[in-house]
Amino acid sequence: MKLLLIPLLCLLLAGCSAPAVHSAEPAETLGTSQEIAASLQQQYGSTVEAVSLPLASVQQMWSTDTGILLQSGQELILLDENFQPAASCTLDFIPQIAVSGQTVSAFDPVTRQLLLLTASLQETRRLTLPPELSGAPFVTSDGSAVFYCTDR
């Protein structure tokens, strides 16, 4: 009797599993930037706006007091209120960026270098932080103080 229960239980469990779903429909493509902009305009009206950016690949964007900051690898570009380039700089490392008030900080976790930049991306200070640093540092909005955590 016990030998008969095992195959019946297997058949019951196999019959209860959900069948695999296969779709013959092609994946949706995004289309051109104009098509994407038109689609966003149609869906959201003036709430969402698509703009053409001066970089081929934007990894991150931040809102600053003076515009929008874009990062693409080592390159930073500040856009004005009309989405036109207002300032730019190319760093010698790929930074972790933080924006606080009028200060933009660019941190290199490999060398522990911290660059303090003005809102127009001009370097004001370069600091080397101690080896016991853990994570990324925090810079006050006026750039006068740097805070960081340690593992100890």
Side-chain angles (χ1 to χ4, degrees):
M1 182 74 174
K2 289 181 184 178
L3 291 176
L4 202 55
L5 281 177
I6 293 174
L8 285 175
L9 187 57
C10 289
L11 284 173
L12 179 64
L13 289 174
C16 291
S17 66
V21 178
H22 299 285
S23 175
E25 295 179 26
E28 184 179 333
T29 58
L30 291 177
T32 66
S33 58
Q34 289 86 7
E35 291 169 342
I36 294 169
S39 174
L40 287 172
Q41 185 73 27
Q42 203 171 35
Q43 281 183 298
Y44 301 106
S46 62
T47 305
V48 176
E49 184 177 341
V51 295
S52 180
L53 299 175
L55 292 171
S57 171
V58 174
Q59 280 117 11
Q60 295 191 54
M61 296 171 54
W62 296 266
S63 176
T64 71
D65 291 348
T66 56
I68 297 173
L69 181 63
L70 307 176
Q71 178 188 3
S72 178
Q74 296 172 276
E75 189 171 3
L76 301 177
I77 294 181
L78 180 68
L79 302 179
D80 64 15
E81 64 275 355
N82 297 316
F83 303 106
Q84 297 302 310
S88 68
C89 72
T90 302
L91 304 173
D92 53 356
F93 59 92
I94 297 176
Q96 293 177 355
I97 299 293
V99 176
S100 181
Q102 292 291 319
T103 303
V104 175
S105 62
F107 178 63
D108 181 358
V110 176
T111 64
R112 298 178 327 280
Q113 291 281 312
L114 177 67
L115 277 126
L116 300 181
L117 308 168
T118 65
S120 59
L121 304 181
Q122 298 299 313
E123 183 177 331
T124 59
R125 291 172 64 191
R126 186 180 288 251
L127 307 167
T128 300
L129 299 177
E132 53 271 355
L133 171 99
S134 177
F138 171 78
V139 180
T140 57
S141 61
D142 63 355
S144 63
V146 176
F147 297 93
Y148 61 91
C149 296
T150 64
D151 290 330
R152 299 177 191 166

